[in-house]
Amino acid sequence: MAGIKEIAKRTGLSLATVSRVFNNSALVSPTTRQKVLKAAKDLDYQPNITAAALRSGKSKIIGVIVPEVNNYFFSGIINGIEGIVSESDYNIIIAQSHESQKKENEALNSFLKLNVEGILLSISKQTTDFSSIKKILKSKTPIVFFDRIPNLDSVNSVTLNDYMGAFMATEHLLERNCKNLVHIAGDPNVSIFNDRHKGFSNAILKSEQIGVTATSIELTTDVKKDMKILKTLFKSNPNVDGIFAYGDEVGLHVLNLLKDLKVNVPEKIKLIGFGNANFSNLTQPKISTVDQECSQMGELAAELLLQNLNNKNAKPQTKVLSPKLIKRASTQV
Amino acid sequence: MAGIKEIAKRTGLSLATVSRVFNNSALVSPTTRQKVLKAAKDLDYQPNITAAALRSGKSKIIGVIVPEVNNYFFSGIINGIEGIVSESDYNIIIAQSHESQKKENEALNSFLKLNVEGILLSISKQTTDFSSIKKILKSKTPIVFFDRIPNLDSVNSVTLNDYMGAFMATEHLLERNCKNLVHIAGDPNVSIFNDRHKGFSNAILKSEQIGVTATSIELTTDVKKDMKILKTLFKSNPNVDGIFAYGDEVGLHVLNLLKDLKVNVPEKIKLIGFGNANFSNLTQPKISTVDQECSQMGELAAELLLQNLNNKNAKPQTKVLSPKLIKRASTQV
DNA sequence: TTGTATGCGTTATCAA
DNA sequence: TTGATAACGCATACAA
């Protein structure tokens, strides 16, 4: 593992010239370039990124923060990011906020200490204080938000049109002739869950079908308690024939609950989730859902960041992806 | 965001003294230490890790390579690692091999370029050439292998006793009075899958029950094809009453296949998987399985690496975790 | 206990 | 087109 010093010695050139070769400077003759490249190969040259980072101020590191890695959605995004970044000469470093504002801030801080050149961030559910984020924005370190974005002006973001996804899911239930719909809603403080709720409500408003009823129920985080609540709901309300769950996991819980209650899906009640989780395709019946295009989201976010890295004056961009309805057995006629 | 230079100026001390404070040198008086710490707070001191890394040769970065992040097992391990490392002053950087030897080597290479101080690695299924790994070992960069380990002497490793897990799972089926067992086996080139196979075979050998038959079938990676093969197997072999699948995911596929074939689980056939995947608890019936203690594995691996970081002459250690049998409805009597 | 001076490996400025 | 040299921010050997 040699550095440019050894190459300089071997070729008889100066450090400066050798360095220029690896920085693709045009100011070097083809012959010397060849000489250097050959020596580099012979000596197994490995650039010392740390030294380059110190001198140039460019660490070649992109920091990524997600709430949880152990989540099909976020790990799909990470794969998307990786796909794009690996084609550049940047490295990525991944941190998890575990939905905690404190850990998110800690991660942002260690990113700054590591001199990351850019940041990709999906904020935690808990994040309501944007001061750390504002600090980053002020520091001019390029940052792109994805999926869960802060309510701030002039920031780069890539999101899914959650409203549209929920709208499509609800419309799908209506098309399947469901008349008494229930939306199992997520924490409304998280913008995307709120959007899904809105999509549900508006789909029903805009469909001009008569005799349609709509109920929304917001869950806690205690699955057992939640299932009890839902059990009561279904028992006291036997006409329910369509359910839109804000996520596939809760959808699966509901599916199991309905089996326990001997309610057939999709014959009696049709069920649709959100997210296209890996297991949604493995249940019986398979759960209809909305695909979040996570890989594409990661790719777009990474591309946007790379653009900003190349051009510090790039204007903030807002990209919104369209979700895709996935019809499966749980909403079959 | 100030550096030690600003603090030196503010306090009237030299750079060296300020530096010593942050390196916990004993050679500094309590009063000056206080002065420096106060100035650090006032000026929002952020150490430049890059510069420190260059100077000291210590990057404070630990590199982690897993086959896939999007996997309950490996992300559980990552959480375990994170839990331990976050209490130290190290940072972790995560890379995925996507089960490719080439990508694994690339990751190792960029780790070296980034001057990581230590490496945590679970090798890819494809990795048969250990030359890159040997290069790391020779470079004296501490490395700890976990779960999927190379067949090399004198290396640090943390693994699960897969043999024992499979043994326990098979024993459990025998206790439940299964007489005609099938093991659905993974790629035998992957040591842990091979161990599970051995555990299955030996459990049957050692149980001295009479009239027990055992079949093993190795799957491809094409799920559809695999299910056809299994369908044929079950049809031509209607006496099968116990299945041990090498993983929960394939277990779930089998469960669904059996439902299609109108074969009741657990009444007619008992089924046990391996891994305690998140969804194994959400199926109907819930799938019995073997827990891999992933979080603990991550913790132990990280602790072992930190030990090696503190003591470069530490002797290689081999830690083997005991799996835990989880009995659920799919093997109920 | 504190300060001075040097160098980590690279990039960038200036001169040749 | 190339070379000599300073500088990036910090840690450390040595001097005081």
Side-chain angles (χ1 to χ4, degrees):
Chain A
M1 219 182 59
I4 59 172
K5 201 187 275 183
E6 284 83 353
I7 296 183
K9 202 179 289 175
R10 162 82 79 110
T11 56
L13 292 160
S14 72
L15 286 177
T17 307
V18 176
S19 172
R20 276 192 277 260
V21 170
F22 297 116
N23 288 287
N24 295 315
S25 166
L27 307 161
V28 53
S29 79
T31 33
T32 46
R33 159 163 282 129
Q34 287 314 315
K35 240 195 289 184
V36 169
L37 260 25
K38 178 164 185 331
K41 207 172 219 171
D42 291 351
L43 297 170
D44 185 25
Y45 167 64
Q46 297 286 5
N48 184 322
I49 297 187
T50 311
L54 177 60
R55 178 60 237 237
S56 67
K58 296 187 187 301
S59 63
K60 292 293 158 194
I61 298 178
I62 290 172
V64 182
I65 306 177
V66 292
E68 295 286 343
V69 158
N70 191 358
N71 174 303
Y72 60 95
F73 176 62
F74 290 117
S75 48
I77 290 185
I78 289 174
N79 284 342
I81 292 172
E82 218 182 26
I84 297 298
V85 173
S86 66
E87 288 170 12
S88 73
D89 56 345
Y90 284 90
N91 301 92
I92 65 175
I93 166 166
I94 301 166
Q96 305 183 71
S97 66
H98 294 294
E99 305 289 8
S100 140
Q101 164 124 244
K102 184 159 163 282
K103 291 208 175 181
E104 188 172 288
N105 288 344
E106 284 171 2
L108 285 173
N109 241 303
S110 57
F111 281 1
L112 288 183
K113 285 191 286 194
L114 285 169
N115 278 319
V116 298
E117 285 188 61
I119 295 172
L120 293 166
L121 172 57
S122 192
I123 63 177
S124 87
K125 285 184 187 173
Q126 229 190 59
T127 302
T128 48
D129 172 12
F130 297 146
S131 54
S132 289
I133 291 173
K134 282 179 188 161
K135 192 172 147 190
I136 302 278
L137 290 169
K138 219 180 283 174
S139 80
K140 298 291 173 198
T141 305
I143 183 166
V144 174
F145 299 92
F146 57 90
D147 195 50
R148 309 232 208 108
I149 65 175
N151 188 11
L152 295 171
D153 286 337
S154 314
V155 295
N156 288 299
S157 70
V158 182
T159 51
L160 183 79
N161 193 333
D162 285 87
Y163 172 87
M164 187 197 283
F167 196 101
M168 286 158 57
T170 311
E171 234 176 17
H172 178 55
L173 290 176
L174 291 171
E175 272 169 17
R176 291 289 197 246
N177 261 320
C178 298
K179 296 292 180 192
N180 298 292
L181 304 190
V182 171
H183 173 46
I184 299 173
D187 182 348
N189 291 319
V190 180
S191 62
I192 55 175
F193 297 153
N194 199 22
D195 288 348
R196 291 177 198 174
H197 193 167
K198 280 189 209 152
F200 171 75
S201 305
N202 279 6
I204 292 173
L205 281 176
K206 289 203 182 162
S207 97
E208 292 171 338
Q209 294 193 33
I210 25 177
V212 170
T213 73
T215 316
S216 291
I217 181 160
E218 187 192 321
L219 294 186
T220 67
T221 46
D222 179 345
V223 176
K224 277 198 180 171
K225 208 189 282 179
D226 288 346
M227 290 305 120
K228 266 188 197 161
I229 296 172
L230 289 177
K231 201 170 177 176
T232 318
L233 175 76
F234 294 141
K235 286 203 169 168
S236 68
N237 208 333
N239 294 324
V240 170
D241 56 3
I243 300 172
F244 166 45
Y246 80 98
D248 283 343
E249 186 157 349
V250 69
L252 176 50
H253 282 293
V254 170
L255 185 63
N256 285 335
L257 174 65
L258 292 173
K259 274 187 199 168
D260 289 346
L261 299 176
K262 311 276 182 216
V263 176
N264 287 333
V265 176
E267 294 80 2
K268 172 71 182 71
I269 295 188
K270 305 205 187 325
L271 171 70
I272 185 165
F274 202 107
N276 195 15
N278 52 353
F279 56 78
S280 64
N281 199 21
L282 296 171
T283 53
Q284 294 235 334
K286 295 178 180 174
I287 303 177
S288 295
T289 188
V290 177
D291 187 77
Q292 293 184 97
E293 306 284 0
C294 52
S295 183
Q296 202 194 341
M297 187 179 287
E299 289 167 10
L300 284 177
E303 280 167 2
L304 195 48
L305 185 63
L306 290 176
Q307 278 174 32
N308 276 267
L309 254 23
N310 289 327
N311 172 14
K312 291 265 178 179
N313 300 316
K315 292 213 182 93
Q317 287 184 53
T318 303
K319 302 206 176 191
V320 180
L321 297 177
S322 297
K324 222 164 47 194
L325 183 66
I326 297 182
K327 303 175 187 176
R328 298 205 187 105
S330 73
T331 52
Q332 218 69 340
V333 228
Chain B
M1 218 181 60
I4 60 171
K5 201 188 275 179
E6 284 83 352
I7 296 182
K9 202 180 288 174
R10 163 82 79 111
T11 56
L13 292 160
S14 73
L15 287 176
T17 307
V18 176
S19 172
R20 275 192 277 260
V21 170
F22 297 115
N23 288 289
N24 296 315
S25 166
L27 306 161
V28 53
S29 79
T31 34
T32 45
R33 159 162 282 130
Q34 288 314 316
K35 238 195 293 185
V36 169
L37 259 26
K38 177 163 186 330
K41 208 172 217 174
D42 291 350
L43 297 171
D44 185 25
Y45 166 64
Q46 297 287 5
N48 185 323
I49 297 186
T50 311
L54 178 59
R55 173 63 234 244
S56 65
K58 297 185 187 302
S59 62
K60 292 294 157 193
I61 298 178
I62 289 172
V64 182
I65 306 178
V66 292
E68 296 286 343
V69 159
N70 191 359
N71 175 303
Y72 60 96
F73 177 61
F74 289 116
S75 48
I77 290 184
I78 290 173
N79 284 342
I81 293 172
E82 217 184 27
I84 298 297
V85 173
S86 66
E87 287 170 13
S88 73
D89 56 345
Y90 285 90
N91 300 93
I92 66 175
I93 165 166
I94 301 166
Q96 305 183 71
S97 66
H98 295 293
E99 305 288 7
S100 140
Q101 164 125 247
K102 186 160 162 279
K103 291 208 175 181
E104 188 172 290
N105 288 343
E106 284 170 3
L108 284 172
N109 241 305
S110 58
F111 281 2
L112 288 183
K113 285 192 286 196
L114 286 168
N115 278 316
V116 299
E117 285 188 60
I119 295 173
L120 293 166
L121 171 58
S122 192
I123 64 178
S124 87
K125 285 185 187 171
Q126 230 190 60
T127 302
T128 49
D129 172 13
F130 298 146
S131 54
S132 290
I133 290 173
K134 283 181 187 159
K135 191 172 145 192
I136 302 278
L137 290 169
K138 218 180 284 173
S139 80
K140 298 291 173 197
T141 305
I143 182 165
V144 174
F145 298 93
F146 56 90
D147 195 52
R148 309 231 209 108
I149 65 176
N151 187 10
L152 295 172
D153 286 337
S154 312
V155 297
N156 288 299
S157 69
V158 183
T159 50
L160 183 79
N161 193 333
D162 285 87
Y163 172 87
M164 185 196 284
F167 197 101
M168 286 158 56
T170 311
E171 236 177 14
H172 178 56
L173 290 176
L174 292 170
E175 271 169 17
R176 291 290 196 247
N177 262 319
C178 298
K179 296 291 180 192
N180 298 293
L181 304 189
V182 171
H183 174 47
I184 299 173
D187 181 348
N189 290 318
V190 180
S191 62
I192 55 175
F193 298 152
N194 200 22
D195 288 347
R196 292 177 198 173
H197 193 167
K198 280 188 209 152
F200 171 76
S201 305
N202 279 8
I204 292 173
L205 281 176
K206 289 204 182 162
S207 97
E208 293 172 338
Q209 295 194 32
I210 26 177
V212 170
T213 72
T215 318
S216 290
I217 181 160
E218 188 192 320
L219 294 186
T220 67
T221 46
D222 179 343
V223 176
K224 278 198 180 171
K225 208 189 280 176
D226 288 345
M227 290 305 120
K228 267 188 196 161
I229 297 172
L230 289 177
K231 201 170 175 174
T232 317
L233 176 76
F234 293 140
K235 286 202 169 168
S236 69
N237 208 333
N239 294 325
V240 170
D241 56 4
I243 300 172
F244 166 45
Y246 79 98
D248 284 343
E249 186 157 349
V250 69
L252 176 50
H253 282 294
V254 170
L255 185 62
N256 285 334
L257 174 64
L258 292 173
K259 274 187 200 168
D260 289 345
L261 297 177
K262 311 276 182 216
V263 176
N264 287 333
V265 175
E267 294 80 2
K268 173 72 181 69
I269 295 187
K270 306 209 186 320
L271 171 69
I272 186 164
F274 202 109
N276 195 15
N278 52 354
F279 56 79
S280 64
N281 200 19
L282 296 171
T283 52
Q284 294 235 332
K286 294 177 181 175
I287 303 176
S288 294
T289 187
V290 177
D291 187 76
Q292 293 184 97
E293 306 283 1
C294 51
S295 182
Q296 202 194 341
M297 186 180 287
E299 288 166 11
L300 284 177
E303 280 167 2
L304 195 47
L305 185 64
L306 290 177
Q307 279 174 31
N308 275 267
L309 253 23
N310 288 327
N311 172 14
K312 292 265 178 180
N313 300 317
K315 289 211 183 97
Q317 287 184 53
T318 303
K319 304 206 175 191
V320 180
L321 299 177
S322 296
K324 221 163 51 195
L325 184 67
I326 298 183
K327 303 176 187 177
R328 295 205 272 242
S330 73
T331 52
Q332 218 69 341
V333 229

